[in-house]
Amino acid sequence: MTDPTPESSWCEISLPAISHNLSHALDRLPKDTQLCAVVKADAYGHGIENVVPLLIAQDVSYIGIASNAEARAVRDLGYSGRILRLRMATPQEVENALDCHVEEMVGSLTAMRSLLQTLGQAALPRLHISLNADGMSRDGLELSTAQGRDACLKILDLAQNRVAGLCTHFPSNLAADLAASIARFQKDQSWIFDHSPLHRNDVLIHAGSTLTLCSGQDPKTDVMRCGAILYGIAGLRPDFQSTLALKSRVISVGKYPKGSTIGYDRTTCLPQDKVLASIALGYANGYCRQLSGCGEVLIHGQRLPVMGKISMNTIVVDVTTLPDVAIGDEVVAFGQQGNQAIDAQGIEHLTGTIMADLFSDWGQRNPRIVRQG
Ligand SMILES: *Cc1c(COP(=O)(O)O)cnc(C)c1O
């Protein structure tokens, strides 16, 4: 057993690993490109209060957020750099974030008009024009149509000197797709500079996320907005470290005879006598039901199968091969124990989702224990 914690299931956050990943991300940026460190979804489940001090320590000059609560938490931690919101916001949301000096995205003429109506010209925050160069068709202006170009010029005129940035978000980082998106974004920028009073030096150009940074292609922006890379979600790259582990404890051990069924709906039946352990982890902790019948956990450094359906607060593990398993033993559902690991590739495959989804879920549903070393 490692050092005891007061919890029966928890997320373990490694601050040195996040710092390490941050340093590597900063080293990897193209020359003259700065980092916007993304802390939406409570820093992908790691806790804004844990991550922001590390960003301040390494002089990160831009932080990306989604909600007003996140912006406020970032300011309350003493961050005085620029905060960019990574999605559109309602006029009310924008108004409530004025004192946090959040820079906002605008991607339609309707949005620009309602912002002006709510705030008035004098109170407008710094605005970033969101372009659909990417083809996300989520919130950006589509400059391939005459209507989109006309809306763009009207927005620039209404926003006047509050325009602080031009941005897009690439939907795919496959080499050919990304090259085409970068070219299209540059074409859209040129069109704006050729047809409006806006100058290149007036604005911050930003696009690109973790996968763009890892792609080796340079989107030629002032800022790249990266989140996943800080949290070690960057594919199979040994230079990035794992930052979050999901752990729990054994809460019961018992012998069950051949023929016993396990869990709801009796989906599993024991082919022989077994020793089964119950673990204080279930779908309410984000150990999702897709892992029913296929999940594995580590106990005493051994990889063991999860049996039957995942319940709300418990899972059942076959510990027949572990004669000295005891109540209170540590269980690793994601992360390392001894020289074994439940890794991202395996868990993404079994759950059918991505680590960013799992981390933000686990981080919100479990107590977090922070490791300094
Ligand atoms: C989340 C987000 C990012 C960061 O993406 P990662 O893949 O986590 O690096 C960048 N830009 C926008 C607009 C986002 O919503």
Side-chain angles (χ1 to χ4, degrees):
M1 271 213 311
T2 56
D3 48 350
T5 72
E7 309 294 349
S8 293
S9 73
W10 68 99
C11 282
E12 217 162 271
I13 311 288
S14 165
L15 299 188
I18 300 170
S19 287
H20 169 95
N21 294 342
L22 173 59
S23 301
H24 271 276
L26 291 168
D27 287 347
R28 231 172 220 271
L29 287 168
K31 196 172 159 294
D32 302 323
T33 302
Q34 288 186 285
L35 180 72
C36 172
V38 177
V39 301
K40 64 192 183 191
D42 202 11
Y44 295 46
H46 292 65
I48 282 185
E49 71 281 11
N50 298 322
V51 174
V52 169
L54 308 178
L55 304 178
I56 294 174
Q58 295 205 44
D59 283 328
V60 168
S61 21
Y62 302 89
I63 287 183
I65 54 95
S67 72
N68 283 358
E70 288 161 0
R72 201 158 298 281
V74 169
R75 288 297 182 219
D76 286 347
L77 289 159
Y79 178 76
S80 57
R82 292 171 70 174
I83 298 182
L84 311 184
R85 197 192 302 270
L86 302 184
R87 59 161 171 77
M88 298 264 293
T90 64
Q92 199 53 58
E93 225 178 350
V94 172
E95 183 167 44
N96 292 339
L98 286 175
D99 63 323
C100 289
H101 303 282
V102 175
E103 306 190 21
E104 303 285 352
M105 278 189 184
V106 175
S108 74
L109 184 54
T110 321
M112 183 67 225
R113 285 188 171 134
S114 54
L115 258 189
L116 265 178
Q117 201 167 27
T118 305
L119 300 176
Q121 172 73 35
L124 285 178
R126 280 182 174 150
L127 301 175
H128 295 244
I129 311 289
S130 167
L131 298 170
N132 196 37
D134 46 53
M136 284 285 272
S137 308
R138 190 161 75 170
D139 55 17
L141 272 170
E142 178 53 58
L143 294 195
S144 69
T145 67
Q147 192 191 21
R149 292 191 293 274
D150 182 55
C152 183
L153 296 180
K154 287 192 169 122
I155 291 170
L156 291 170
D157 189 45
L158 290 170
Q160 302 206 357
N161 65 353
R162 304 313 293 161
V163 178
L166 298 180
C167 58
T168 195
H169 192 41
F170 304 130
S172 160
N173 288 279
L174 297 175
D177 279 346
L178 181 59
S181 293
I182 291 171
R184 169 66 195 276
F185 184 39
Q186 286 172 336
K187 187 175 157 215
D188 282 6
Q189 292 166 40
S190 302
W191 184 86
I192 291 175
F193 297 135
D194 290 345
H195 292 84
S196 76
L198 200 67
H199 284 285
R200 170 68 183 87
N201 293 337
D202 300 337
V203 284
L204 196 71
I205 304 282
H206 53 109
S209 57
T210 291
L211 290 177
T212 319
L213 184 54
C214 293
S215 74
Q217 293 191 44
D218 181 358
K220 300 264 180 349
T221 54
D222 300 318
V223 172
M224 288 173 83
R225 306 173 307 248
C226 302
I229 203 167
L230 306 178
Y231 314 108
I233 311 170
L236 287 175
R237 283 163 224 275
D239 38 348
F240 293 97
Q241 295 178 358
S242 170
T243 56
L244 187 152
L246 180 63
K247 299 191 176 181
S248 185
R249 294 202 183 280
V250 173
I251 48 176
S252 150
V253 182
K255 289 187 174 151
Y256 295 87
K258 173 180 172 176
S260 304
T261 60
I262 304 177
Y264 289 118
D265 305 328
R266 304 173 181 269
T267 55
T268 304
C269 181
L270 295 183
Q272 63 210 60
D273 294 359
K274 292 274 188 190
V275 183
L276 301 178
S278 176
I279 316 298
L281 191 69
Y283 61 79
N285 304 94
Y287 195 78
C288 47
R289 295 180 78 246
Q290 286 88 329
L291 293 163
S292 296
C294 64
E296 289 181 318
V297 297
L298 305 176
I299 308 177
H300 296 192
Q302 260 197 52
R303 185 179 285 272
L304 301 162
V306 173
M307 311 287 278
K309 288 205 172 169
I310 309 298
S311 303
M312 184 181 266
N313 301 108
T314 46
I315 53 175
V316 172
V317 172
D318 179 357
V319 293
T320 312
T321 55
L322 280 190
D324 53 352
V325 69
I327 289 172
D329 283 359
E330 185 181 280
V331 179
V332 171
F334 181 78
Q336 190 128 13
Q337 193 185 56
N339 53 18
Q340 288 285 334
I342 306 292
D343 64 13
Q345 260 204 314
I347 208 110
E348 284 186 341
H349 174 72
L350 294 178
T351 57
T353 186
I354 57 174
M355 290 320 299
D357 179 7
L358 294 171
F359 278 178
S360 43
D361 195 37
W362 295 344
Q364 286 177 69
R365 289 171 179 243
N366 296 283
R368 286 187 287 243
I369 291 185
V370 174
R371 298 276 178 237
Q372 309 285 345

